[in-house]
Amino acid sequence: MIDDIVHFFEPYIYLIVGGVKAIIIAVALTAVVPGLVWLERRLMGRFQVRLGPNRVGPFGLGQPISDSIKLLFKESIIQSSADKFLFHLAPAIVVFTAILSFAVIPITQPFEIFGQTIGPWIANIDSGILFIFAISGMGIYGKVIAGLSSNSKYSLMGGLRSSAQMISYELTLGIAALSIIVMTGSLNLVDMVKSQEAVPFILVQPLAFLLFFIAGVAETNRAPFDLPEAEQELVAGFHTEYTGMKFAMFFMGEYINMVTMSSLVTLLFLGGWNTYILPQNALTGFLAFAFKVLFLLCFFIWLRSTFPRIRYDRLMTFGWKFLLPIAIFNLLLTSALKVL
Amino acid sequence: MLEQYIGAGIMLLVATAIACGMVLLTSILGPKHQFPDKMEPFECGESQLVSPRQRFSVKFYLVAVLFVLFDIEAVFFFPWAILFQRLGVFGLVEMFLFILILGVGLAYVWIRGGLDWE
């Protein structure tokens, strides 16, 4: 009887396992956003010598949950001159691309359960890193469409700034990642982690790590590169006209992108799930991965509270005249050293 | 390896469902009290006098064009980087020439002031 059932589902095993994994990852990503908001507010509070949220629940842990429930029940205002369809579409694109780009991230090494080897990723595709660049690059559309459809000059400026900034730093991001691809000869993220079993690439490629991380901060529109949302100039940038949950969706996208970017830095430079000191299995691998990602996320928040926002012309000059030439130089150096 | 794309396809469906679900939920759940002043775009408490859809700095256009140029060139790096270890010195020399051409392009844009943001 059970054999019959198993036999019946045999051809669909990829669909079932894939579906379960996709739902677990998507729910975890959605659930991690309120936690990150809480972490950011608490840490910012500490950095600025104040308390931060501490009233709702223990350590203020209930605060982000009550906030998200409140946002869900707020009125969704669409101002009369806005393009209604695009106005709805924009936050959906932002969240969609943020969740989808996490699909190729392996969170630990493969493990066995019920005699089946489970890969702790949703899709272990050969072009893993290209997939992430492609999908997260599409997130720009969400921001530009939000800016254009709102019919408000603050939104328009925010959308334009956002697109110009993100495409400028995408070049550096790609070329910095290329020096790692030259080292490993593969675009597959699992292969990249496997080739770091002895030494993490941060020790071999410190310059590429710095370039990639800076470009990653700019790519996720985080401070000190949060020009699209410069409150003092643009009110709130491309999401000025958004209210309620649609407003929160832009932040959801931003925080999920932060998690994806931290995971990518971990996989490319910090050795992914390699623990280096602890015994290596799926559980310690996951803990090592989660620890590294959490450390990078705290680093993001630390950057925000340390650096003032940089001026827009300096931002573009920094990207094109400083980071891009260094990234190309680093790629040349890496390939030359690799051959000789 | 191709069956791995099934997972990506499933994730695509889940992500679509979450994104559309959230937009739908917030449109259904929230209160709906509308009056003309509330439906105006934000302008520091004033009514908007002119349409925001006017000319904006041509620099944004220039950045977009430059991005397309350099990104297409950067795309050629990817297959080269994967085959790099097999190509050896030949691949290195070829790519040095390629990067030289790219560098000349960047230098030209730089000297002509295309990267200055005034």
Side-chain angles (χ1 to χ4, degrees):
Chain A
M1 181 64 193
I2 292 172
D3 283 353
D4 285 347
I5 296 173
V6 170
H7 190 70
F8 178 75
F9 282 114
E10 197 94 60
Y12 308 109
I13 194 82
Y14 277 117
L15 284 178
I16 296 164
V17 173
V20 170
K21 283 195 289 194
I23 288 169
I24 289 175
I25 297 269
V27 169
L29 274 180
T30 324
V32 90
V33 171
L36 267 177
V37 174
W38 173 83
L39 181 73
E40 172 151 33
R41 291 181 63 188
R42 287 290 287 194
L43 280 179
M44 291 287 284
R46 294 290 159 184
F47 283 130
Q48 296 163 359
V49 202
R50 57 186 173 83
L51 286 171
N54 68 345
R55 289 286 171 228
V56 190
F59 306 107
L61 270 169
Q63 187 69 51
I65 298 163
S66 75
D67 280 349
S68 37
I69 294 171
K70 180 197 76 177
L71 281 165
L72 193 58
F73 285 97
K74 283 288 174 188
E75 181 175 359
S76 142
I77 301 171
I78 307 165
Q79 50 108 341
S80 45
S81 54
D83 186 318
K84 301 236 167 8
F85 175 69
L86 293 179
F87 194 79
H88 280 112
L89 185 67
I93 291 179
V94 170
V95 169
F96 167 78
T97 53
I99 294 178
L100 184 57
S101 62
F102 202 82
V104 292
I105 301 239
I107 53 176
T108 178
Q109 63 194 37
F111 55 91
E112 284 203 6
I113 189 165
F114 305 129
Q116 288 269 349
T117 306
I118 305 273
W121 46 70
I122 292 165
N124 177 25
I125 56 181
D126 281 339
S127 54
I129 193 164
L130 279 184
F131 182 88
I132 292 186
F133 286 155
I135 302 293
S136 61
M138 263 169 59
I140 299 172
Y141 285 111
K143 288 168 182 172
V144 175
I145 290 175
L148 284 174
S149 67
S150 293
N151 198 23
S152 155
K153 58 183 169 195
Y154 302 105
S155 303
L156 185 67
M157 279 310 292
L160 283 173
R161 279 185 178 192
S162 183
S163 57
Q165 172 183 340
M166 284 173 83
I167 59 179
S168 300
Y169 281 80
E170 213 170 272
L171 283 172
T172 309
L173 200 71
I175 293 177
L178 269 166
S179 40
I180 296 298
I181 298 168
V182 167
M183 304 277 295
T184 58
S186 169
L187 292 169
N188 188 313
L189 291 165
V190 179
D191 290 349
M192 287 187 180
V193 175
K194 277 183 186 151
S195 55
Q196 297 179 64
E197 265 164 3
V199 193
F201 280 144
I202 183 174
L203 299 175
V204 191
Q205 288 276 350
L207 195 57
F209 168 75
L210 270 180
L211 291 167
F212 194 88
F213 190 74
I214 293 172
V217 175
E219 194 72 5
T220 46
N221 289 337
R222 292 285 304 179
F225 303 109
D226 58 344
L227 272 300
E229 300 156 35
E231 288 88 352
Q232 292 84 347
E233 310 159 32
L234 293 179
V235 188
F238 51 84
H239 51 66
T240 303
E241 297 294 337
Y242 282 87
T243 56
M245 203 61 198
K246 287 213 278 287
F247 167 77
M249 282 169 82
F250 285 107
F251 283 94
M252 228 183 109
E254 182 180 315
Y255 281 93
I256 295 177
N257 278 335
M258 260 168 77
V259 175
T260 311
M261 193 52 74
S262 306
S263 310
L264 202 55
V265 173
T266 305
L267 294 172
L268 291 186
F269 295 99
L270 303 183
W273 60 77
N274 289 316
T275 54
Y276 297 112
I277 37 173
L278 291 171
Q280 186 73 40
N281 60 45
L283 182 66
T284 55
F286 174 70
L287 289 178
F289 179 81
F291 175 76
K292 289 168 187 171
V293 171
L294 192 65
F295 175 79
L296 285 171
L297 287 171
C298 292
F299 201 83
F300 268 89
I301 297 165
W302 186 14
L303 280 179
R304 176 175 167 187
S305 52
T306 302
F307 290 111
R309 184 181 300 127
I310 94 175
R311 221 168 62 194
Y312 198 73
D313 59 334
R314 297 239 176 108
L315 173 90
M316 301 308 280
T317 315
F318 184 63
W320 283 98
K321 289 189 183 174
F322 187 73
L323 290 184
L324 186 61
I326 292 184
I328 293 174
F329 173 73
N330 185 52
L331 178 63
L332 285 177
L333 197 68
T334 308
S335 48
L337 288 178
K338 189 80 186 168
V339 162
L340 303 175
Chain B
M1 223 34 168
L2 215 56
E3 78 269 356
Q4 290 288 341
Y5 282 94
I6 296 172
I10 295 169
M11 193 62 167
L12 192 136
L13 293 180
V14 173
T16 315
I18 290 177
C20 296
M22 287 174 93
V23 172
L24 268 181
L25 264 184
T26 182
S27 308
I28 294 167
L29 286 176
K32 287 168 190 66
H33 306 296
Q34 300 192 347
F35 49 93
D37 283 352
K38 183 177 175 179
M39 292 302 151
E40 281 187 7
F42 176 82
E43 184 47 275
C44 309
E46 298 281 322
S47 291
Q48 208 166 35
L49 288 175
V50 287
S51 164
R53 286 175 186 151
Q54 292 178 345
R55 295 179 176 187
F56 51 83
S57 173
V58 72
K59 285 285 174 187
F60 288 108
Y61 174 73
L62 195 61
V63 168
V65 172
L66 288 180
F67 167 72
V68 171
L69 283 175
F70 284 106
D71 208 41
I72 287 174
E73 286 178 306
V75 163
F76 288 118
F77 284 137
F78 280 92
W80 165 77
I82 293 168
L83 292 174
F84 178 72
Q85 285 165 9
R86 264 187 271 170
L87 292 174
V89 180
F90 169 72
L92 185 71
V93 173
E94 287 281 301
M95 197 37 72
F96 262 72
L97 289 174
F98 185 76
I99 290 176
L100 193 69
I101 297 169
L102 195 155
V104 168
L106 185 65
Y108 176 74
V109 175
W110 193 327
I111 291 165
R112 290 299 299 267
L115 302 178
D116 296 325
W117 195 281
E118 291 301 328

